[in-house]
Amino acid sequence: MDFKKLANQYKDELLDNVLPFWLENSQDHEYGGYFTCLDREGRVFDTDKFIWLQGREVWMFSMLYNKVEKRKEWLDCAVQGGEFLKRYGHDGDYNWYFSLDRSGRPLVEPYNIFSYTFAAMAFGQLSLATGNQEYADIARKTFDIILSKVDNPKGKWNKLHPGTRNLKNFALPMILCNLALEIEHLLPGDYLEQTMETCIHEVMDVFHRPELGGIIVENVDTDGHLVDCFEGRQVTPGHAIEAMWFIMDLGKRLNRPELIEKAKNITLTMLEYGWDKEYGGIYYFMDRNGYPPQQLEWDQKLWWVHIETLISLLKGYQLTGDKQCMEWFEKVHNYTWTHFKDKEHSEWYGYLNRKGEVLLPLKGGKWKGCFHVPRGLYQCWKMLNSIDEKSHLC
């Protein structure tokens, strides 16, 4: 495998195709913030603004400014989005709404914890890019609120009846694994270490189930037990695989090679489990007992699932040298670039049917924004470069 050529493929796609699409089409120069509902050619088809996608785009352009190149247009894009979020995105006490109209008026209350997590990520990176203490304070305050809500993320907007079937979800400890490292520069050492250890325990000891062949489940009860219901049987391969590169990063940060090895092995287990043997690609949702999943979109192939898998496989190979990771990487890489990349227009498709045919031609919407594609391209570019350099030294 030509690692240098692959690295350039990911780099060129990021810098020459994907980032220009968002810079040119997503910025709302009249009201601030970003449009995310963009059709195949980048035209806006809805002007509502979703806080978690606003935060993700602020984070993306801040991160690229910090780690790739000090491009003024990247910083300007991040700052204008950050200022829109600071002004309109929360209720005054950093309870972050789910969505706003174009001008910034709230549409949906702060029920979604991921509005908070991506606001914290956004202002953490933006504080590094600008040196602005106010941005750092927003990130830290928001992080404290997130930790206070761990046991009931939706708060008063939780629609479940209390006391009957209390479940906890994999997504929050998963994202906290990444968020803790993202805002490490803002947290006291002991506080950070405690948060990291708690997240690692939840992901690797509670949701990871050796008795089920080593897969990760999406929901357990509050005591960590399996539950036999739709939610309790749900497996989301993409979530589990994405979480494993967060865990590998923590393993590297904490100098715990055994944690990296375990995360790499779970990546391979989940990929084997979630791969569609007939049509290729990774299923969106599965049922651990093989029953029909409740989600009607269970067999769709989604962009973020495949891109996050590429990151985890490369990271697994980079950190452990396991050739199985590279064999799977080649397979997933070929599927991803063949099916999700739009060969006529910029950016990538997000939604395919089971056979790999384009289901929706949009490039952004309520759930897809400026995040997984550019973050994945950036991560893969940097890791492939590193692997290439190491191969020349050997």
Side-chain angles (χ1 to χ4, degrees), residues 152-197:
N152 184 16
K154 293 187 178 182
K156 63 184 179 181
W157 294 283
N158 194 333
K159 65 184 178 182
L160 298 178
H161 186 78
T164 306
R165 183 190 287 155
N166 294 328
L167 299 177
K168 59 180 180 179
N169 183 263
F170 176 70
L172 185 53
M174 163 203 161
I175 204 69
L176 286 174
C177 289
N178 183 236
L179 181 56
L181 285 176
E182 277 291 330
I183 63 170
E184 180 176 358
H185 60 289
L186 302 176
L187 302 176
D190 292 346
Y191 186 64
L192 176 69
E193 297 281 343
Q194 181 183 353
T195 302
M196 288 178 178
E197 291 299 337

Coordinates of all heavy atoms in Angstrom, one line a residue, residues 152-197:
N152 N -29.0 12.2 34.3 CA -30.3 12.5 33.6 C -30.1 13.5 32.5 O -30.4 14.7 32.7 CB -31.3 12.9 34.6 CG -32.7 13.2 34.0 OD1 -33.0 12.7 32.9 ND2 -33.6 13.9 34.7
P153 N -29.5 13.1 31.4 CA -29.0 14.1 30.4 C -30.1 15.0 29.9 O -29.9 16.1 29.5 CB -28.5 13.2 29.3 CG -28.1 12.0 30.0 CD -29.1 11.8 31.1
K154 N -31.4 14.5 29.8 CA -32.5 15.3 29.2 C -33.2 16.2 30.2 O -34.0 17.0 29.9 CB -33.5 14.4 28.5 CG -32.9 13.7 27.3 CD -34.0 13.0 26.5 CE -33.4 12.3 25.2 NZ -34.4 11.6 24.4
G155 N -32.9 15.9 31.5 CA -33.5 16.8 32.6 C -35.0 16.7 32.6 O -35.6 15.6 32.4
K156 N -35.6 17.9 32.7 CA -37.1 17.9 32.8 C -37.7 17.6 31.5 O -39.0 17.4 31.4 CB -37.5 19.3 33.2 CG -37.2 20.4 32.3 CD -37.6 21.8 32.9 CE -37.2 22.9 32.0 NZ -37.6 24.2 32.6
W157 N -36.9 17.4 30.4 CA -37.5 17.1 29.1 C -37.5 15.6 28.8 O -37.8 15.1 27.7 CB -36.8 17.8 27.9 CG -37.0 19.3 28.0 CD1 -38.2 20.0 27.7 CD2 -36.1 20.3 28.6 NE1 -38.0 21.3 27.9 CE2 -36.8 21.6 28.5 CE3 -34.9 20.2 29.1 CZ2 -36.2 22.7 28.9 CZ3 -34.3 21.4 29.5 CH2 -35.0 22.6 29.4
N158 N -37.1 14.8 29.8 CA -37.1 13.4 29.7 C -38.5 12.8 29.6 O -39.3 13.0 30.5 CB -36.3 12.7 30.9 CG -36.0 11.3 30.6 OD1 -36.7 10.6 29.9 ND2 -35.0 10.8 31.3
K159 N -38.8 12.2 28.5 CA -40.2 11.7 28.3 C -40.5 10.4 28.9 O -41.7 9.9 28.9 CB -40.6 11.7 26.8 CG -39.8 10.7 26.0 CD -40.1 10.8 24.5 CE -39.3 9.8 23.7 NZ -39.5 9.9 22.2
L160 N -39.5 9.7 29.4 CA -39.7 8.4 30.0 C -40.3 8.5 31.4 O -39.9 9.3 32.2 CB -38.4 7.6 30.0 CG -37.7 7.3 28.6 CD1 -36.4 6.6 28.8 CD2 -38.7 6.5 27.7
H161 N -41.2 7.5 31.7 CA -41.7 7.5 33.1 C -40.7 7.0 34.0 O -40.0 5.9 33.8 CB -42.9 6.6 33.1 CG -43.7 6.6 34.4 ND1 -44.5 7.6 34.8 CD2 -43.6 5.7 35.5 CE1 -45.0 7.3 36.0 NE2 -44.4 6.2 36.4
P162 N -40.4 7.7 35.1 CA -39.3 7.3 36.0 C -39.6 6.1 36.8 O -40.8 5.8 37.2 CB -39.2 8.5 37.0 CG -40.6 9.2 36.9 CD -41.1 9.0 35.5
G163 N -38.6 5.3 37.0 CA -38.7 4.1 37.9 C -39.1 2.8 37.3 O -39.0 1.8 38.0
T164 N -39.6 2.8 36.1 CA -40.0 1.5 35.5 C -38.8 0.8 34.8 O -38.5 -0.3 35.0 CB -41.1 1.7 34.5 OG1 -42.2 2.4 35.2 CG2 -41.7 0.4 34.0
R165 N -38.2 1.5 33.8 CA -37.1 0.9 33.1 C -36.1 2.0 32.9 O -36.1 2.7 31.8 CB -37.6 0.4 31.7 CG -36.5 -0.3 30.9 CD -36.9 -0.6 29.5 NE -37.9 -1.7 29.5 CZ -38.8 -1.9 28.5 NH1 -38.9 -1.1 27.5 NH2 -39.6 -3.0 28.6
N166 N -35.3 2.2 33.9 CA -34.3 3.3 33.8 C -33.0 2.8 33.1 O -32.3 1.9 33.5 CB -33.9 3.7 35.2 CG -35.0 4.4 35.9 OD1 -35.9 5.0 35.3 ND2 -35.1 4.2 37.2
L167 N -32.8 3.3 31.9 CA -31.6 2.9 31.1 C -30.6 4.1 31.0 O -30.9 5.2 31.1 CB -32.1 2.6 29.6 CG -33.1 1.5 29.5 CD1 -33.5 1.3 28.0 CD2 -32.6 0.2 30.0
K168 N -29.4 3.7 30.8 CA -28.3 4.7 30.5 C -27.8 4.3 29.1 O -27.7 3.2 28.8 CB -27.3 4.8 31.6 CG -26.5 3.5 31.9 CD -25.5 3.9 33.0 CE -24.6 2.6 33.4 NZ -23.7 3.0 34.4
N169 N -27.4 5.4 28.4 CA -27.0 5.3 27.0 C -25.5 5.4 26.8 O -24.8 6.1 27.6 CB -27.8 6.3 26.2 CG -27.5 6.2 24.7 OD1 -26.6 6.9 24.2 ND2 -28.2 5.4 24.0
F170 N -25.0 4.7 25.8 CA -23.6 4.6 25.6 C -23.0 6.0 25.0 O -21.8 6.3 25.2 CB -23.3 3.5 24.5 CG -21.9 3.4 24.0 CD1 -20.9 2.9 24.9 CD2 -21.6 3.8 22.7 CE1 -19.6 2.8 24.4 CE2 -20.3 3.6 22.2 CZ -19.3 3.1 23.1
A171 N -23.9 6.7 24.4 CA -23.4 7.9 23.6 C -22.7 8.9 24.5 O -21.7 9.6 24.1 CB -24.5 8.5 22.8
L172 N -23.2 9.2 25.7 CA -22.6 10.2 26.6 C -21.2 9.9 27.1 O -20.3 10.7 26.9 CB -23.6 10.6 27.7 CG -23.1 11.8 28.5 CD1 -22.8 13.0 27.7 CD2 -24.1 12.2 29.6
P173 N -21.0 8.7 27.7 CA -19.7 8.4 28.2 C -18.7 8.3 27.0 O -17.5 8.7 27.1 CB -19.8 7.1 28.9 CG -21.1 6.5 28.5 CD -22.0 7.7 28.2
M174 N -19.2 7.8 25.8 CA -18.4 7.8 24.6 C -17.9 9.2 24.2 O -16.7 9.4 24.0 CB -19.2 7.2 23.5 CG -18.7 7.4 22.1 SD -20.0 7.3 20.9 CE -19.2 8.2 19.5
I175 N -18.8 10.1 24.2 CA -18.4 11.5 23.7 C -17.5 12.2 24.8 O -16.6 13.0 24.4 CB -19.6 12.3 23.3 CG1 -19.2 13.5 22.3 CG2 -20.3 12.9 24.5 CD1 -18.8 12.9 21.0
L176 N -17.7 11.9 26.0 CA -16.9 12.5 27.1 C -15.5 12.0 27.0 O -14.5 12.7 27.4 CB -17.5 12.1 28.5 CG -18.8 12.9 28.8 CD1 -19.3 12.4 30.2 CD2 -18.5 14.4 28.9
C177 N -15.2 10.8 26.5 CA -13.9 10.3 26.3 C -13.1 11.2 25.4 O -11.9 11.5 25.6 CB -13.9 8.9 25.7 SG -14.4 7.6 26.8
N178 N -13.8 11.7 24.3 CA -13.2 12.6 23.4 C -13.1 14.1 23.9 O -12.1 14.8 23.8 CB -13.9 12.6 22.1 CG -13.3 13.4 21.0 OD1 -14.0 14.3 20.4 ND2 -12.1 13.2 20.7
L179 N -14.2 14.5 24.6 CA -14.3 15.8 25.1 C -13.3 16.1 26.1 O -12.7 17.2 26.2 CB -15.7 16.1 25.6 CG -16.1 17.5 26.1 CD1 -15.8 18.6 25.1 CD2 -17.5 17.6 26.6
A180 N -13.0 15.2 27.0 CA -12.0 15.4 28.1 C -10.7 15.7 27.5 O -10.0 16.6 28.0 CB -11.9 14.1 28.9
L181 N -10.3 15.1 26.4 CA -9.0 15.4 25.8 C -9.1 16.7 25.0 O -8.1 17.5 24.9 CB -8.6 14.3 24.8 CG -8.0 13.0 25.5 CD1 -7.8 11.9 24.4 CD2 -6.8 13.3 26.3
E182 N -10.2 17.0 24.4 CA -10.4 18.2 23.7 C -10.2 19.5 24.5 O -9.7 20.5 24.0 CB -11.8 18.3 23.0 CG -11.9 17.5 21.7 CD -11.2 18.2 20.6 OE1 -11.0 19.4 20.6 OE2 -10.7 17.4 19.7
I183 N -10.7 19.5 25.8 CA -10.6 20.7 26.6 C -9.6 20.4 27.8 O -9.7 21.0 28.8 CB -12.0 21.1 27.1 CG1 -12.6 20.1 28.0 CG2 -12.8 21.5 25.9 CD1 -13.9 20.6 28.7
E184 N -8.7 19.5 27.6 CA -7.7 19.2 28.6 C -7.0 20.4 29.1 O -6.7 20.5 30.3 CB -6.7 18.2 28.0 CG -5.6 17.8 29.0 CD -4.7 16.7 28.4 OE1 -4.9 16.3 27.2 OE2 -3.7 16.3 29.1
H185 N -6.7 21.4 28.2 CA -6.0 22.6 28.6 C -6.8 23.5 29.6 O -6.2 24.4 30.2 CB -5.6 23.4 27.3 CG -6.8 23.8 26.5 ND1 -7.6 22.9 25.8 CD2 -7.4 25.0 26.3 CE1 -8.5 23.6 25.1 NE2 -8.4 24.9 25.5
L186 N -8.1 23.2 29.7 CA -8.9 24.0 30.6 C -9.2 23.4 31.9 O -9.9 24.0 32.8 CB -10.2 24.4 29.9 CG -10.1 25.1 28.5 CD1 -11.5 25.2 27.9 CD2 -9.4 26.4 28.7
L187 N -8.8 22.1 32.1 CA -9.2 21.4 33.3 C -8.1 21.1 34.3 O -6.9 20.8 33.8 CB -9.8 20.0 32.9 CG -11.0 20.1 31.9 CD1 -11.5 18.7 31.5 CD2 -12.2 20.8 32.6
P188 N -8.3 21.2 35.6 CA -7.3 20.8 36.5 C -6.9 19.3 36.4 O -7.8 18.5 36.0 CB -8.0 21.0 37.9 CG -9.1 21.9 37.6 CD -9.5 21.6 36.2
G189 N -5.7 18.9 36.6 CA -5.2 17.6 36.4 C -6.0 16.5 37.1 O -6.3 15.5 36.4
D190 N -6.2 16.6 38.4 CA -7.0 15.6 39.1 C -8.4 15.4 38.5 O -8.9 14.3 38.4 CB -7.0 15.9 40.6 CG -5.7 15.8 41.2 OD1 -4.7 15.3 40.6 OD2 -5.5 16.4 42.4
Y191 N -9.0 16.5 38.3 CA -10.4 16.5 37.7 C -10.4 15.8 36.4 O -11.3 15.0 36.1 CB -10.8 18.0 37.6 CG -12.2 18.3 37.2 CD1 -13.3 17.9 38.0 CD2 -12.5 19.0 36.0 CE1 -14.6 18.2 37.6 CE2 -13.8 19.3 35.7 CZ -14.9 18.9 36.5 OH -16.1 19.2 36.1
L192 N -9.4 16.1 35.5 CA -9.3 15.5 34.2 C -9.1 14.0 34.3 O -9.8 13.2 33.6 CB -8.2 16.2 33.4 CG -7.9 15.6 32.1 CD1 -9.0 15.9 31.1 CD2 -6.5 16.1 31.5
E193 N -8.1 13.6 35.2 CA -7.8 12.2 35.3 C -9.1 11.4 35.8 O -9.3 10.3 35.3 CB -6.7 12.0 36.3 CG -5.4 12.6 35.9 CD -4.6 11.8 34.8 OE1 -4.9 10.6 34.7 OE2 -3.7 12.3 34.2
Q194 N -9.8 12.0 36.7 CA -11.0 11.3 37.3 C -12.0 11.1 36.2 O -12.6 10.1 36.1 CB -11.5 12.1 38.5 CG -12.8 11.5 39.1 CD -13.3 12.3 40.2 OE1 -12.8 13.3 40.6 NE2 -14.5 11.9 40.7
T195 N -12.2 12.2 35.4 CA -13.2 12.1 34.3 C -12.8 11.0 33.3 O -13.6 10.2 32.8 CB -13.3 13.5 33.6 OG1 -13.7 14.5 34.6 CG2 -14.3 13.4 32.5
M196 N -11.5 11.0 32.9 CA -11.0 10.0 32.0 C -11.3 8.6 32.5 O -11.8 7.7 31.7 CB -9.5 10.2 31.7 CG -9.2 11.4 30.9 SD -7.4 11.6 30.7 CE -7.2 13.0 29.7
E197 N -10.9 8.3 33.7 CA -11.0 7.0 34.3 C -12.5 6.6 34.3 O -12.8 5.4 34.1 CB -10.4 6.9 35.7 CG -8.9 7.1 35.7 CD -8.2 5.9 34.9 OE1 -8.8 4.9 34.7 OE2 -7.1 6.2 34.4

